[in-house]
Amino acid sequence: MGFLSAFVCVALASGAFAQAAFPDCVSGPLATTTVCDITANPVDRAAALVSLFTFDEKVNNTGNTSPGVPRLGLPAYQWWQEGLHGVAESPGVYFAESGPFSYATSFPQPILMSAAFDDPMIYNIATVISTEARGFNNNNRSGLDFWTPNINPFKDPRWGRGQETPGEDPFHLQSYVYNLITGLQGGLDPEYKRIVATCKHFAAYDLENWMGNVRYGFDAIVSIQDLSEFYTRSFRTCARDANVGAFMCSYNAVNGVPSCANSYLLQDILREHWGWTNEDQWVTSDCDAIENIYQPHYYAPTRQLTVADALNAGADLDCGEYYPLNLGSAYEEGLFNVSTLDRALIRLYSSLVKLGYFDPAENQPYRSIGWENVSTPAAEELAYTAAVEGITLLKNDGTLPLSSSIKSIALIGPWANATTEMQGNYYGVAPYLISPLMAAEAAGYTVYYATGPGIDDPTTSSFPAAFEAAAAADAIIYAGGINTDVEAEGMDRYTLDWPGVQIDLIDSLSQFGKPFVVLQMGGGQVDDSCMIPNAGVNAIIWGGYPGQSGGTALIDIIMGKVAPAGRLPITQYPIGYVYQIPMTDMSLRPSATSPGRTYMWYTGTPVFPFGYGLHYTNFTASLSESSASSYDISTLVSGCSGYEHLDLCPFASYTVNVTNTGNSVSSDFVALLFVAGEHGPAPVPNKVLAAYSRLHSVAPLSSQTTTLNLTLGSLARADSYGNTILYPGEYDLVLDVDAKSTVSFSLTGNESVLDYWPQPTA
């Protein structure tokens, strides 16, 4: 979303905190109406409210900064709040300058949280975020609608907003978002929602500004097969399975039609095919995306046709002013029916009814949440745990954890004393921000600190100070990589190399002959190829954007106070990848002009593959044999009569036995189960993640077990029409990236369609 336009919208608000006030349902103008009748149906209550609006009042309340209807006692309301990894600064969130509500818990960025592969933790984090959001709302410091999560798959490593996502794998995104949404909203269909979450950006959005292609006018040409199998699977989970309250349509067009005017996306797929039909579920545009339909998409020839196209397609709310400014004249031209406008408003206000917005405090469970529930000790501990669980060890020759004999370290680099950088983007005010420098000093090390070159500084003038620090210390830690200076909303990368002269400094520091650890920070991956064979680089740790306790988590791992067990949620490609395929190419499968995308289709050799991560100990793991070596497809499908969605029908459960064969370090372990083999349309994917589970604290010389459940959808693939099909053929279940254990079976008989994908009309 574009913050520049957002702040213009904020200026329209009638008062600093007016949008967070509650209607007076005791003695105000609405008190005796159906609107305030808590026994009535939410849709009936919302419809009663909208029926009291004049036409102009209806139009005025179609933008994200809604003025309300003062004559009815309906306050102004800001629909735009952010909560990507904690309550965040945004048009609807107001942090106090000091004291209560001056901060909120700041968790790691999603790209790092997802590297933990710990879905129960994601649910707990979401519950904390929504609880703190309620505290802010109850004290007139936020609204109740949060435009999170970003659930677009991170298919191209250059994308500036990849840090906001859980990574590149569709199944991982589905599992992550299900737990996140149910934690944010307080369940699948609670009587009162904690907050309303918003799945964004629908659909096929993963380009900011690359080679003159700008997100506001980019037309993503996507095959129906890829749209079904990759670009929309996480959104299907949002709508069909997790019952999310809101969607956001994206800036880009899909196959020639801007997303916010795309009835195929917003109606045929979202509402009709996925059954997202509750009248309290609504769609917002990304900020100014409706205006962008007019230009730079040049899809509609007039402003009036632009807003009518979006409203008729199913975009209920405009983040911006284009609806309020142009819907009136569009209606005068007969371009939409007033019932369509009413439908949009009823959806919005039904959502507020479900949040308890019109109900007395004593009638709903969240109105009593206050400052004492914000940034609690438990929340702070969870933020630290999330950082520890996601941090991923990429190389280690045995140097880590550092020996207790090391008393001094040289801490060098642009991330060495990073504070706000730890949060990435879409962040709020944290209660504290602990840099690696602060954490190292608190741990008792004598620290020789040198900033080194900036992230993309092309000069070597800072090298002498870095060398001086390195010479004085027992061990060296370089903290660098990338940050929001080179990857951010509105900005894509052009290279996968370490920016500036960082790699030159790393090479020089590796020649000191001292224990040397490289902290690779940032959301996207950079090519570490030159460091892997360098014996002077003893260890590499990927730290992402680790949040408020990031420095402590990093130093604790380096010391061995905790053990790393994160797994890469994205592929680390070699630097030449960017020259093999343009960002604008949306295809996934390899071809004469493409090496393929993501671990599923990439035909080259990755620097580090998806799911890669080392430990401070050694593990063995075995997968239980299936009960049969062959399954008849028709028999499998006929046993799913109780399942509305056949892809969710159970196939089999597999027990994984994990043994820590080391004798000194207790460690977590993530069990990843992939499906491979020859089945379905060519080209066959390398493998596809089907299940995962994080085991906690596996003690030395001991074992733990976990169960991984597969569904028919785990085995299915999409055909060229986007239909989800269970194909006959040979299937291999592969445990972990290095194939610690494999089980094989076959599916026989005729293929079976589990889901028919809606086809676009000409």
Side-chain angles (χ1 to χ4, degrees):
M1 285 164 286
F3 275 89
L4 180 60
S5 60
F7 288 123
V8 173
C9 294
V10 172
L12 300 177
S14 58
F17 307 131
Q19 80 284 357
F22 296 105
D24 183 358
C25 272
V26 176
S27 57
L30 297 174
T32 59
T33 70
T34 302
V35 179
C36 292
D37 181 1
I38 64 173
T39 66
N41 180 282
V43 175
D44 292 340
R45 295 173 67 180
L49 176 67
V50 173
S51 71
L52 300 174
F53 290 8
T54 66
F55 179 80
D56 286 345
E57 288 167 344
K58 292 176 182 179
V59 170
N60 289 342
N61 284 283
T62 56
N64 66 286
T65 305
S66 296
V69 183
R71 69 178 181 85
L72 295 177
L74 182 68
Y77 185 78
Q78 176 57 255
W79 295 90
W80 180 1
Q81 281 72 217
E82 295 288 350
L84 181 67
H85 52 110
V87 175
E89 291 181 308
S90 44
V93 174
Y94 295 88
F95 286 89
E97 293 185 4
S98 61
F101 300 101
S102 60
Y103 53 83
T105 309
S106 184
F107 294 95
Q109 274 283 50
I111 195 65
L112 188 71
M113 288 196 290
S114 72
F117 287 87
D118 188 344
D119 290 340
M121 183 185 73
I122 298 303
Y123 178 88
N124 292 337
I125 288 170
T127 301
V128 168
I129 293 172
S130 59
T131 299
E132 296 190 0
R134 272 289 181 164
F136 272 72
N137 174 258
N138 289 334
N139 287 271
N140 269 9
R141 292 195 170 273
S142 84
L144 290 165
D145 297 276
F146 281 74
W147 293 0
T148 190
N150 181 341
I151 204 64
N152 296 107
F154 188 6
K155 85 165 191 310
D156 193 296
R158 292 163 284 190
W159 185 31
R161 299 188 72 174
Q163 60 175 291
E164 302 173 28
T165 78
E168 70 182 36
D169 179 74
F171 175 76
H172 188 199
L173 268 68
Q174 289 178 277
S175 299
Y176 177 101
V177 77
Y178 181 88
N179 285 276
L180 187 80
I181 289 170
T182 52
L184 289 173
Q185 296 192 161
L188 289 176
D189 189 24
E191 180 181 2
Y192 288 103
K193 292 181 180 178
R194 285 177 172 269
I195 62 173
V196 165
T198 308
C199 284
K200 62 185 187 185
H201 313 79
F202 191 55
Y205 168 51
D206 58 3
L207 178 147
E208 301 299 299
N209 187 345
W210 184 84
M211 298 291 288
N213 298 278
V214 181
R215 59 181 176 164
Y216 305 110
F218 176 61
D219 184 11
I221 305 302
V222 185
S223 73
I224 298 302
Q225 184 179 39
D226 288 347
L227 190 68
S228 167
E229 192 168 38
F230 185 78
Y231 289 104
T232 62
R233 274 180 56 186
S234 53
F235 291 101
R236 181 185 71 186
T237 296
C238 288
R240 191 193 72 182
D241 304 326
N243 202 31
V244 74
F247 260 61
M248 177 182 286
C249 50
S250 57
Y251 287 121
N252 59 282
V254 176
N255 297 330
V257 183
S259 297
C260 293
N262 197 321
S263 60
Y264 175 61
L265 290 177
L266 301 183
Q267 185 65 34
D268 297 354
I269 296 174
L270 175 59
R271 292 199 179 272
E272 294 181 7
H273 187 60
W274 290 339
W276 197 64
T277 54
N278 290 350
E279 285 304 313
D280 61 344
Q281 295 171 321
W282 48 276
V283 174
T284 180
S285 75
D286 206 336
C287 292
D288 295 330
I290 290 177
E291 181 176 358
N292 298 154
I293 296 169
Y294 180 53
Q295 56 184 8
H297 280 295
Y298 301 103
Y299 178 76
T302 68
R303 294 174 175 84
Q304 289 72 30
L305 278 167
T306 294
V307 295
D309 283 349
L311 186 69
N312 289 328
D316 302 303
L317 182 74
D318 174 20
C319 180
E321 303 177 76
Y322 226 59
Y323 268 3
L325 290 175
N326 297 292
L327 278 176
S329 56
Y331 181 71
E332 291 174 357
E333 294 182 17
L335 298 177
F336 67 88
N337 296 323
V338 71
S339 60
T340 305
L341 176 60
D342 288 350
R343 181 188 66 186
L345 291 166
I346 290 169
R347 287 171 176 169
L348 290 163
Y349 287 105
S350 294
S351 173
L352 287 181
V353 172
K354 288 284 286 185
L355 287 159
Y357 184 68
F358 296 93
D359 293 2
E362 62 271 18
N363 285 89
Q364 51 113 336
Y366 301 124
R367 196 66 67 81
S368 62
I369 293 173
W371 173 240
E372 68 278 3
N373 302 106
V374 177
S375 193
T376 63
E380 294 176 1
E381 181 65 23
L382 186 58
Y384 167 80
T385 298
V388 167
E389 288 198 9
I391 291 169
T392 305
L393 183 63
L394 300 179
K395 177 185 178 180
N396 187 25
D397 64 3
T399 296
L400 291 181
L402 288 181
S403 167
S404 59
S405 64
I406 292 175
K407 304 300 182 184
S408 64
I409 58 174
L411 194 50
I412 301 165
W415 275 85
N417 197 26
T419 52
T420 55
E421 294 94 332
M422 289 285 177
Q423 296 175 283
N425 65 2
Y426 283 89
Y427 60 85
V429 180
Y432 50 79
L433 291 165
I434 301 174
S435 70
L437 175 61
M438 296 162 61
E441 291 177 336
Y445 287 110
T446 298
V447 181
Y448 300 95
Y449 166 60
T451 59
I455 289 291
D456 56 358
D457 184 353
T459 69
T460 61
S461 58
S462 62
F463 282 22
F467 297 156
E468 183 178 348
D474 298 333
I476 306 167
I477 300 173
Y478 180 81
I482 54 179
N483 63 14
T484 53
D485 290 341
V486 294
E487 62 166 1
E489 182 174 352
M491 180 172 60
D492 296 315
R493 288 189 287 149
Y494 285 86
T495 178
L496 303 183
D497 199 4
W498 284 65
V501 294
Q502 293 184 83
I503 208 69
D504 300 304
L505 179 56
I506 289 171
D507 183 65
S508 296
L509 293 173
S510 73
Q511 298 174 36
F512 274 75
K514 298 183 178 184
F516 182 29
V517 179
V518 174
L519 300 183
Q520 176 203 316
M521 307 298 291
Q525 291 292 306
V526 287
D527 184 354
D528 292 334
S529 294
C530 62
M531 291 187 286
I532 297 172
N534 185 342
V537 177
N538 305 109
I540 304 172
I541 293 173
W542 175 61
Y545 293 98
Q548 65 186 42
S549 296
T552 301
L554 287 163
I555 296 301
D556 282 355
I557 285 175
I558 289 170
M559 293 175 62
K561 185 176 179 180
V562 290
R567 301 297 191 100
L568 286 182
I570 45 178
T571 301
Q572 185 178 122
Y573 295 94
I575 194 169
Y577 182 79
V578 300
Y579 306 111
Q580 296 178 294
I581 184 170
M583 280 195 73
T584 50
D585 186 339
M586 304 296 290
S587 62
L588 302 171
R589 289 155 177 80
S591 66
T593 59
S594 169
R597 291 190 179 277
T598 79
Y599 78 97
M600 294 182 288
W601 301 107
Y602 181 53
T603 53
T605 302
V607 180
F608 291 113
F610 170 89
Y612 184 84
L614 301 176
H615 305 85
Y616 285 166
T617 186
N618 295 313
F619 288 97
T620 60
S622 61
L623 186 66
S624 63
E625 291 290 332
S626 59
S627 57
S629 60
S630 179
Y631 299 87
D632 175 66
I633 290 176
S634 62
T635 302
L636 289 173
V637 174
S638 65
C640 299
S641 58
Y643 287 84
E644 179 182 0
H645 308 295
L646 294 179
D647 60 287
L648 299 180
C649 179
F651 166 64
S653 296
Y654 293 85
T655 299
V656 177
N657 185 71
V658 176
T659 301
N660 181 350
T661 60
N663 59 11
S664 60
V665 176
S666 179
S667 175
D668 289 6
F669 179 85
V670 174
L672 302 173
L673 186 61
F674 299 91
V675 175
E678 295 294 327
H679 51 270
V684 176
N686 303 319
K687 56 185 178 181
V688 178
L689 185 65
Y692 60 83
S693 176
R694 187 178 182 110
L695 292 83
H696 295 276
S697 301
V698 184
L701 303 176
S702 68
S703 300
Q704 287 188 24
T705 61
T706 187
T707 300
L708 300 178
N709 301 312
L710 271 64
T711 65
L712 295 188
S714 306
L715 310 178
R717 296 185 58 209
D719 67 5
S720 60
Y721 295 98
N723 301 320
T724 302
I725 298 179
L726 194 60
Y727 287 99
E730 301 302 316
Y731 291 74
D732 299 319
L733 299 182
V734 182
L735 182 63
D736 214 339
V737 175
D738 58 356
K740 288 181 170 63
S741 181
T742 302
V743 169
S744 299
F745 59 87
S746 60
L747 296 186
T748 61
N750 296 323
E751 64 187 49
S752 179
V753 179
L754 303 183
D755 178 70
Y756 285 97
W757 186 256
Q759 299 301 300
T761 56

